[in-house]
Amino acid sequence: MDLSAYRGCFLGSISTQAQAYENASVRIELTDGPYTVAVLEFKHVARMVMDDCGGDWCGFFDDFRVLELPRVGPWPEEARGLSHHHNNESALLWVRMIGPVEIEILARDLVVERTGAPSTVQVASRPGKPS
């Protein structure tokens, strides 16, 4: 999945629902000026880390990195430290949103809804279901 179209967007809002792994979710709104340009909905979140911005809000993103981690087989070297979060039942997405504040999310499902005036388009991505 390519999120590069959202480089330079700002973090409009982030909300989390922390429950058991099967129900944990994160919702992130990306803005450009007065418009919400995308909503990222992460489901079945295994891990989320967000830098502290030290009181100064500077929530824009220079880059987005998305790595699909397979259900079976070797993971890329840079993701090996995350293997203890794997449930061996499904593929995972490792998304890193990079800017002055970095957000890192490891989740099973991601739905991206592109918004803004005048129309809304929904694009869904699932890295894989259990075999």
Side-chain angles (χ1 to χ4, degrees):
M1 168 175 269
D2 183 11
L3 298 177
S4 63
Y6 304 113
R7 285 184 184 137
C9 287
F10 288 80
L11 176 62
S13 68
I14 185 167
S15 60
T16 60
Q17 186 173 17
Q19 296 180 5
Y21 169 73
E22 287 300 314
N23 296 317
S25 64
V26 176
R27 184 177 199 273
I28 296 175
E29 290 185 6
L30 300 175
T31 62
D32 185 9
Y35 299 105
T36 297
V37 295
V39 176
L40 309 179
E41 293 270 357
F42 295 88
K43 303 290 184 184
H44 310 287
V45 175
R47 178 175 194 255
M48 178 186 161
V49 177
M50 181 174 170
D51 289 343
D52 182 5
C53 52
D56 294 327
W57 186 247
C58 45
F60 67 91
F61 299 106
D62 297 314
D63 198 10
F64 290 85
R65 297 193 182 144
V66 179
L67 194 57
E68 293 185 16
L69 305 173
R71 183 176 71 85
V72 294
W75 279 11
E77 188 63 38
E78 66 267 26
R80 302 255 167 133
L82 300 172
S83 63
H84 64 285
H85 294 287
H86 194 259
N87 62 8
N88 295 318
E89 296 176 6
S90 60
L92 295 172
L93 284 172
W94 182 27
V95 178
R96 292 174 47 212
M97 304 160 78
I98 301 166
V101 173
E102 185 169 330
I103 298 173
E104 178 182 318
I105 298 174
L106 185 65
R108 186 168 45 183
D109 300 314
L110 169 60
V111 174
V112 177
E113 182 181 341
R114 288 184 279 179
T115 62
S119 64
T120 298
V121 177
Q122 187 161 358
V123 179
S125 173
R126 294 187 67 142
K129 291 184 176 181
S131 301

